[in-house]
Amino acid sequence: MAPQTISIHYHTTRFLPQPDVFIRTSHGTRIPAHAGILASMSPVFDNFIDRPRKHRSSERIIQIHGVPCDAVTAFVGFLYSSRCTEEEMDKYGMHLLALSHVYMVPQLKQRCIKGLTHRLTTENVVDVLQLARLCDAPDLHLRCMKLLANNFKAVEATEGWKFLVKHDPWLELDILRFIDEHETRKKKSRKYRMEQGLYAELSEAMECLEHICYDGCTHVGPYDAAEEKRERTPCGRFATCQALQVLIRHFATCEKKVRGGCVRCKRMWQLFRLHSYVCHHTDSSCKVPFCRQFQLRMQQEKRKDDAKWKLLARKVASAKVMSSLSLPKRKRDEETRVNINNPGIRSFKLL
């Protein structure tokens, strides 16, 4: 049976002479093409076409086997037009990626990587992953691994995974190792976010403590607070202000704190102590209660837990900086002006 020759309508405005090379597919179909265009788009075709022929009258034949004829047709069409339709990508995306890699057509390869990334599913991810390894497509390979890690239960039930387990145990091992590392990274990331959230809350508590000692708020304020300021609406500046005022009111009246038996008073002592570590004042100018006493105590006594408190203070200060950088510039400038004009007040009283 004579091979079938098909004609292709190439999307190009250039005048094309008669074809001088034919591409033969697996089923014997011949696709006419032009040596100059193939050579300009692919160095592999260029090397093949430059080879001397045994007979000048013999036709140039390029064999492309192992992929459907329509996929080869779409591949040749891209070499002429640099275009690939969504329908062609849906049907032959994996074949086109393999052809673009083998024949070194980088524009088509990037197009295929992008197209296959958008078409990843739990059903095809194993096949795409194997192809990405063979075709040196690290971005696509990483996307496949992440999809596998996030949807492993669904992928594990597919035929592609079952085939891989039987025939490629090394790749299975790589995938399982990646999933384990992925879960470890997620746990570390969750822990880091929780810690940063805690440091941000402590940073806000430090600012709120200074705000109460300087300005006074709904129920707690400095001794020299103006009488008319006693009646106030709930504070909207800090989310922790009301809770901190309740804690201060309890601290001022609790009888258990002398014996060290009150958990809430211990928490207040810890806030006062943390402030002394983050405070930049080295004399009696700081107006937050017990600040200078804690600082003198640190100088006189080398306590074992000082290093932990200093580390906590650094992390709280860092959280404050990161929080300020995340604010819009106008609000950041306003807070900077408030902090400059806020010297603090030494003592507080219940209003």
Side-chain angles (χ1 to χ4, degrees), residues 213-234:
C213 293
Y214 173 64
D215 299 315
C217 205
T218 314
H219 302 294
V220 182
Y223 274 107
D224 56 354
E227 190 71 23
E228 62 271 11
K229 290 185 179 180
R230 291 191 178 187
E231 295 295 332
R232 300 185 179 192
T233 57

PDB file of all heavy atoms in Angstrom, residues 213-234:
ATOM      1  N   CYS A 213      -0.607  53.957  79.891  1.00  0.00           N
ATOM      2  CA  CYS A 213       0.169  54.698  80.887  1.00  0.00           C
ATOM      3  C   CYS A 213       0.336  56.171  80.517  1.00  0.00           C
ATOM      4  O   CYS A 213       0.529  57.023  81.387  1.00  0.00           O
ATOM      5  CB  CYS A 213       1.545  54.051  81.064  1.00  0.00           C
ATOM      6  SG  CYS A 213       1.485  52.412  81.793  1.00  0.00           S
ATOM      7  N   TYR A 214       0.281  56.480  79.243  1.00  0.00           N
ATOM      8  CA  TYR A 214       0.455  57.871  78.812  1.00  0.00           C
ATOM      9  C   TYR A 214      -0.878  58.600  78.682  1.00  0.00           C
ATOM     10  O   TYR A 214      -1.111  59.630  79.307  1.00  0.00           O
ATOM     11  CB  TYR A 214       1.196  57.897  77.483  1.00  0.00           C
ATOM     12  CG  TYR A 214       1.284  59.277  76.883  1.00  0.00           C
ATOM     13  CD1 TYR A 214       1.987  60.290  77.515  1.00  0.00           C
ATOM     14  CD2 TYR A 214       0.647  59.564  75.679  1.00  0.00           C
ATOM     15  CE1 TYR A 214       2.057  61.566  76.977  1.00  0.00           C
ATOM     16  CE2 TYR A 214       0.703  60.828  75.127  1.00  0.00           C
ATOM     17  CZ  TYR A 214       1.403  61.832  75.771  1.00  0.00           C
ATOM     18  OH  TYR A 214       1.470  63.082  75.246  1.00  0.00           O
ATOM     19  N   ASP A 215      -1.766  58.052  77.839  1.00  0.00           N
ATOM     20  CA  ASP A 215      -3.024  58.739  77.545  1.00  0.00           C
ATOM     21  C   ASP A 215      -4.127  58.399  78.534  1.00  0.00           C
ATOM     22  O   ASP A 215      -5.029  59.210  78.757  1.00  0.00           O
ATOM     23  CB  ASP A 215      -3.511  58.371  76.136  1.00  0.00           C
ATOM     24  CG  ASP A 215      -2.518  58.795  75.070  1.00  0.00           C
ATOM     25  OD1 ASP A 215      -2.035  59.928  75.155  1.00  0.00           O
ATOM     26  OD2 ASP A 215      -2.232  57.979  74.170  1.00  0.00           O
ATOM     27  N   GLY A 216      -4.076  57.192  79.073  1.00  0.00           N
ATOM     28  CA  GLY A 216      -5.226  56.708  79.812  1.00  0.00           C
ATOM     29  C   GLY A 216      -6.291  56.254  78.831  1.00  0.00           C
ATOM     30  O   GLY A 216      -6.298  56.643  77.662  1.00  0.00           O
ATOM     31  N   CYS A 217      -7.177  55.398  79.292  1.00  0.00           N
ATOM     32  CA  CYS A 217      -8.222  54.933  78.381  1.00  0.00           C
ATOM     33  C   CYS A 217      -9.536  54.829  79.138  1.00  0.00           C
ATOM     34  O   CYS A 217      -9.745  55.545  80.122  1.00  0.00           O
ATOM     35  CB  CYS A 217      -7.806  53.613  77.744  1.00  0.00           C
ATOM     36  SG  CYS A 217      -8.623  53.324  76.150  1.00  0.00           S
ATOM     37  N   THR A 218     -10.388  53.923  78.766  1.00  0.00           N
ATOM     38  CA  THR A 218     -11.752  53.895  79.295  1.00  0.00           C
ATOM     39  C   THR A 218     -11.799  53.831  80.815  1.00  0.00           C
ATOM     40  O   THR A 218     -12.516  54.580  81.464  1.00  0.00           O
ATOM     41  CB  THR A 218     -12.509  52.682  78.715  1.00  0.00           C
ATOM     42  OG1 THR A 218     -12.260  52.622  77.315  1.00  0.00           O
ATOM     43  CG2 THR A 218     -14.000  52.811  78.957  1.00  0.00           C
ATOM     44  N   HIS A 219     -11.042  52.914  81.409  1.00  0.00           N
ATOM     45  CA  HIS A 219     -11.118  52.691  82.850  1.00  0.00           C
ATOM     46  C   HIS A 219      -9.793  52.923  83.575  1.00  0.00           C
ATOM     47  O   HIS A 219      -9.785  53.028  84.804  1.00  0.00           O
ATOM     48  CB  HIS A 219     -11.591  51.266  83.134  1.00  0.00           C
ATOM     49  CG  HIS A 219     -12.912  50.944  82.531  1.00  0.00           C
ATOM     50  ND1 HIS A 219     -14.091  51.554  82.934  1.00  0.00           N
ATOM     51  CD2 HIS A 219     -13.260  50.090  81.531  1.00  0.00           C
ATOM     52  CE1 HIS A 219     -15.099  51.080  82.221  1.00  0.00           C
ATOM     53  NE2 HIS A 219     -14.622  50.193  81.366  1.00  0.00           N
ATOM     54  N   VAL A 220      -8.693  52.948  82.886  1.00  0.00           N
ATOM     55  CA  VAL A 220      -7.383  53.078  83.529  1.00  0.00           C
ATOM     56  C   VAL A 220      -6.626  54.208  82.874  1.00  0.00           C
ATOM     57  O   VAL A 220      -6.639  54.354  81.647  1.00  0.00           O
ATOM     58  CB  VAL A 220      -6.582  51.761  83.402  1.00  0.00           C
ATOM     59  CG1 VAL A 220      -5.234  51.888  84.108  1.00  0.00           C
ATOM     60  CG2 VAL A 220      -7.373  50.593  83.974  1.00  0.00           C
ATOM     61  N   GLY A 221      -5.931  55.014  83.689  1.00  0.00           N
ATOM     62  CA  GLY A 221      -5.163  56.108  83.135  1.00  0.00           C
ATOM     63  C   GLY A 221      -4.155  56.655  84.114  1.00  0.00           C
ATOM     64  O   GLY A 221      -4.087  56.215  85.272  1.00  0.00           O
ATOM     65  N   PRO A 222      -3.351  57.637  83.721  1.00  0.00           N
ATOM     66  CA  PRO A 222      -2.335  58.223  84.607  1.00  0.00           C
ATOM     67  C   PRO A 222      -2.972  59.083  85.694  1.00  0.00           C
ATOM     68  O   PRO A 222      -4.102  59.529  85.573  1.00  0.00           O
ATOM     69  CB  PRO A 222      -1.490  59.069  83.641  1.00  0.00           C
ATOM     70  CG  PRO A 222      -2.416  59.390  82.519  1.00  0.00           C
ATOM     71  CD  PRO A 222      -3.307  58.200  82.367  1.00  0.00           C
ATOM     72  N   TYR A 223      -2.212  59.348  86.761  1.00  0.00           N
ATOM     73  CA  TYR A 223      -2.716  60.144  87.881  1.00  0.00           C
ATOM     74  C   TYR A 223      -3.083  61.557  87.454  1.00  0.00           C
ATOM     75  O   TYR A 223      -4.010  62.153  88.004  1.00  0.00           O
ATOM     76  CB  TYR A 223      -1.657  60.208  88.984  1.00  0.00           C
ATOM     77  CG  TYR A 223      -1.733  59.033  89.920  1.00  0.00           C
ATOM     78  CD1 TYR A 223      -0.770  58.034  89.864  1.00  0.00           C
ATOM     79  CD2 TYR A 223      -2.749  58.928  90.866  1.00  0.00           C
ATOM     80  CE1 TYR A 223      -0.825  56.954  90.718  1.00  0.00           C
ATOM     81  CE2 TYR A 223      -2.823  57.853  91.722  1.00  0.00           C
ATOM     82  CZ  TYR A 223      -1.858  56.854  91.657  1.00  0.00           C
ATOM     83  OH  TYR A 223      -1.920  55.785  92.490  1.00  0.00           O
ATOM     84  N   ASP A 224      -2.323  62.110  86.502  1.00  0.00           N
ATOM     85  CA  ASP A 224      -2.580  63.496  86.126  1.00  0.00           C
ATOM     86  C   ASP A 224      -3.543  63.599  84.946  1.00  0.00           C
ATOM     87  O   ASP A 224      -3.563  64.596  84.243  1.00  0.00           O
ATOM     88  CB  ASP A 224      -1.268  64.211  85.780  1.00  0.00           C
ATOM     89  CG  ASP A 224      -0.499  63.478  84.671  1.00  0.00           C
ATOM     90  OD1 ASP A 224      -0.933  62.374  84.280  1.00  0.00           O
ATOM     91  OD2 ASP A 224       0.528  64.026  84.225  1.00  0.00           O
ATOM     92  N   ALA A 225      -4.340  62.539  84.713  1.00  0.00           N
ATOM     93  CA  ALA A 225      -5.320  62.605  83.626  1.00  0.00           C
ATOM     94  C   ALA A 225      -6.378  63.643  83.948  1.00  0.00           C
ATOM     95  O   ALA A 225      -6.822  63.781  85.090  1.00  0.00           O
ATOM     96  CB  ALA A 225      -5.981  61.237  83.434  1.00  0.00           C
ATOM     97  N   ALA A 226      -6.779  64.394  82.932  1.00  0.00           N
ATOM     98  CA  ALA A 226      -7.787  65.430  83.135  1.00  0.00           C
ATOM     99  C   ALA A 226      -9.110  64.807  83.580  1.00  0.00           C
ATOM    100  O   ALA A 226      -9.481  63.720  83.148  1.00  0.00           O
ATOM    101  CB  ALA A 226      -7.975  66.220  81.841  1.00  0.00           C
ATOM    102  N   GLU A 227      -9.852  65.500  84.425  1.00  0.00           N
ATOM    103  CA  GLU A 227     -11.083  64.959  84.981  1.00  0.00           C
ATOM    104  C   GLU A 227     -12.114  64.669  83.898  1.00  0.00           C
ATOM    105  O   GLU A 227     -12.843  63.690  83.953  1.00  0.00           O
ATOM    106  CB  GLU A 227     -11.645  65.972  86.000  1.00  0.00           C
ATOM    107  CG  GLU A 227     -12.799  65.438  86.836  1.00  0.00           C
ATOM    108  CD  GLU A 227     -12.336  64.399  87.841  1.00  0.00           C
ATOM    109  OE1 GLU A 227     -11.126  64.425  88.195  1.00  0.00           O
ATOM    110  OE2 GLU A 227     -13.164  63.588  88.271  1.00  0.00           O
ATOM    111  N   GLU A 228     -12.159  65.577  82.884  1.00  0.00           N
ATOM    112  CA  GLU A 228     -13.171  65.403  81.846  1.00  0.00           C
ATOM    113  C   GLU A 228     -12.895  64.190  80.954  1.00  0.00           C
ATOM    114  O   GLU A 228     -13.755  63.763  80.195  1.00  0.00           O
ATOM    115  CB  GLU A 228     -13.274  66.663  80.972  1.00  0.00           C
ATOM    116  CG  GLU A 228     -11.991  67.018  80.216  1.00  0.00           C
ATOM    117  CD  GLU A 228     -11.082  67.914  81.045  1.00  0.00           C
ATOM    118  OE1 GLU A 228     -11.357  68.065  82.258  1.00  0.00           O
ATOM    119  OE2 GLU A 228     -10.134  68.468  80.477  1.00  0.00           O
ATOM    120  N   LYS A 229     -11.707  63.624  81.031  1.00  0.00           N
ATOM    121  CA  LYS A 229     -11.384  62.485  80.192  1.00  0.00           C
ATOM    122  C   LYS A 229     -11.812  61.151  80.797  1.00  0.00           C
ATOM    123  O   LYS A 229     -11.585  60.108  80.233  1.00  0.00           O
ATOM    124  CB  LYS A 229      -9.874  62.455  79.917  1.00  0.00           C
ATOM    125  CG  LYS A 229      -9.395  63.568  79.017  1.00  0.00           C
ATOM    126  CD  LYS A 229      -7.919  63.398  78.699  1.00  0.00           C
ATOM    127  CE  LYS A 229      -7.441  64.521  77.775  1.00  0.00           C
ATOM    128  NZ  LYS A 229      -6.011  64.365  77.449  1.00  0.00           N
ATOM    129  N   ARG A 230     -12.429  61.204  81.980  1.00  0.00           N
ATOM    130  CA  ARG A 230     -12.773  59.953  82.630  1.00  0.00           C
ATOM    131  C   ARG A 230     -13.890  59.214  81.897  1.00  0.00           C
ATOM    132  O   ARG A 230     -13.942  58.009  81.897  1.00  0.00           O
ATOM    133  CB  ARG A 230     -13.165  60.213  84.083  1.00  0.00           C
ATOM    134  CG  ARG A 230     -11.991  60.645  84.935  1.00  0.00           C
ATOM    135  CD  ARG A 230     -12.324  60.653  86.394  1.00  0.00           C
ATOM    136  NE  ARG A 230     -11.169  61.033  87.194  1.00  0.00           N
ATOM    137  CZ  ARG A 230     -11.149  60.999  88.514  1.00  0.00           C
ATOM    138  NH1 ARG A 230     -12.224  60.620  89.178  1.00  0.00           N
ATOM    139  NH2 ARG A 230     -10.056  61.347  89.161  1.00  0.00           N
ATOM    140  N   GLU A 231     -14.826  59.958  81.356  1.00  0.00           N
ATOM    141  CA  GLU A 231     -15.894  59.326  80.600  1.00  0.00           C
ATOM    142  C   GLU A 231     -15.434  59.189  79.155  1.00  0.00           C
ATOM    143  O   GLU A 231     -15.305  60.177  78.440  1.00  0.00           O
ATOM    144  CB  GLU A 231     -17.176  60.174  80.679  1.00  0.00           C
ATOM    145  CG  GLU A 231     -17.754  60.265  82.074  1.00  0.00           C
ATOM    146  CD  GLU A 231     -18.241  58.918  82.591  1.00  0.00           C
ATOM    147  OE1 GLU A 231     -18.628  58.075  81.761  1.00  0.00           O
ATOM    148  OE2 GLU A 231     -18.231  58.711  83.810  1.00  0.00           O
ATOM    149  N   ARG A 232     -15.218  57.965  78.724  1.00  0.00           N
ATOM    150  CA  ARG A 232     -14.665  57.745  77.387  1.00  0.00           C
ATOM    151  C   ARG A 232     -15.425  56.634  76.686  1.00  0.00           C
ATOM    152  O   ARG A 232     -15.987  55.746  77.322  1.00  0.00           O
ATOM    153  CB  ARG A 232     -13.186  57.371  77.452  1.00  0.00           C
ATOM    154  CG  ARG A 232     -12.331  58.449  78.109  1.00  0.00           C
ATOM    155  CD  ARG A 232     -10.897  58.089  78.026  1.00  0.00           C
ATOM    156  NE  ARG A 232     -10.072  59.138  78.634  1.00  0.00           N
ATOM    157  CZ  ARG A 232      -8.760  59.196  78.501  1.00  0.00           C
ATOM    158  NH1 ARG A 232      -8.126  58.295  77.810  1.00  0.00           N
ATOM    159  NH2 ARG A 232      -8.083  60.165  79.075  1.00  0.00           N
ATOM    160  N   THR A 233     -15.432  56.721  75.406  1.00  0.00           N
ATOM    161  CA  THR A 233     -15.998  55.621  74.609  1.00  0.00           C
ATOM    162  C   THR A 233     -14.987  54.486  74.552  1.00  0.00           C
ATOM    163  O   THR A 233     -13.797  54.698  74.793  1.00  0.00           O
ATOM    164  CB  THR A 233     -16.307  56.100  73.177  1.00  0.00           C
ATOM    165  OG1 THR A 233     -15.095  56.606  72.591  1.00  0.00           O
ATOM    166  CG2 THR A 233     -17.366  57.200  73.191  1.00  0.00           C
ATOM    167  N   PRO A 234     -15.432  53.261  74.253  1.00  0.00           N
ATOM    168  CA  PRO A 234     -14.483  52.130  74.166  1.00  0.00           C
ATOM    169  C   PRO A 234     -13.337  52.409  73.190  1.00  0.00           C
ATOM    170  O   PRO A 234     -13.531  53.004  72.128  1.00  0.00           O
ATOM    171  CB  PRO A 234     -15.362  50.978  73.665  1.00  0.00           C
ATOM    172  CG  PRO A 234     -16.730  51.333  74.144  1.00  0.00           C
ATOM    173  CD  PRO A 234     -16.812  52.841  74.060  1.00  0.00           C
TER     174      PRO A 234
END
